[in-house]
Amino acid sequence: MATDTAKVLETLGKMTVLELVALKNAIEEEWGVTAAAPVAVAAAAPAGGGDGGAAEEKDSFDVVLTAVGDKKIQVIKVVRAITGLGLKEAKDVVDGAPGPVKEGVTKDEAEKLKAELEEAGASVELK
């Protein structure tokens, strides 16, 4: 079994980022899992602490692109810089608006990302 694992790691090491993203998507569809599950679990944990202080104690934010605006290309460039995605994947994120750009970030980082996206012409919301 160790040789099988080594072969898989070797194969993964030779794949491009686009191929790895396609593999991730295929695994999510085939097995019904998502790569974002740990973020959802972490975000759900503070909500169980208490209804009154949950909003004040929130330390993990999602940056959600609500509208693209007139400068779609600039928004795609900012999304690429923020996420590290390729051109096609970043375009898909922008075309899929409204939707999350980055999840589980600190308040300071979320505010910074929101400012960058709004400067590029997008409408952004923090959740």
Side-chain angles (χ1 to χ4, degrees):
M1 179 134 186
T3 41
D4 291 338
T5 304
K7 287 179 186 177
V8 170
L9 288 175
E10 182 181 337
T11 303
L12 289 174
K14 293 179 183 177
M15 294 175 75
T16 66
V17 174
L18 292 176
E19 291 170 332
L20 290 170
V21 169
L23 175 64
K24 177 195 75 83
N25 292 339
I27 289 172
E28 287 178 348
E29 288 178 23
E30 180 70 26
W31 293 332
V33 296
T34 68
V39 174
V41 171
D51 295 334
E56 294 177 31
E57 296 176 18
K58 186 170 183 175
D59 61 350
S60 178
F61 293 85
D62 296 342
V63 180
V64 179
L65 183 66
T66 55
V68 178
D70 296 336
K71 302 177 182 177
K72 183 177 179 180
I73 294 173
Q74 285 80 3
V75 174
I76 292 171
K77 288 179 182 180
V78 173
V79 168
R80 284 187 71 195
I82 289 171
T83 61
L85 293 173
L87 180 59
K88 182 184 180 327
E89 291 81 13
K91 182 181 179 297
D92 290 344
V93 168
V94 172
D95 287 343
V101 175
K102 198 151 190 183
E103 299 175 326
V105 296
T106 64
K107 183 175 183 173
D108 292 338
E109 184 178 358
E111 291 290 341
K112 179 183 162 222
L113 298 177
K114 179 180 179 184
E116 289 177 21
L117 286 163
E118 286 178 341
E119 185 177 326
S123 298
V124 182
E125 171 179 299
L126 300 179
K127 292 188 177 186

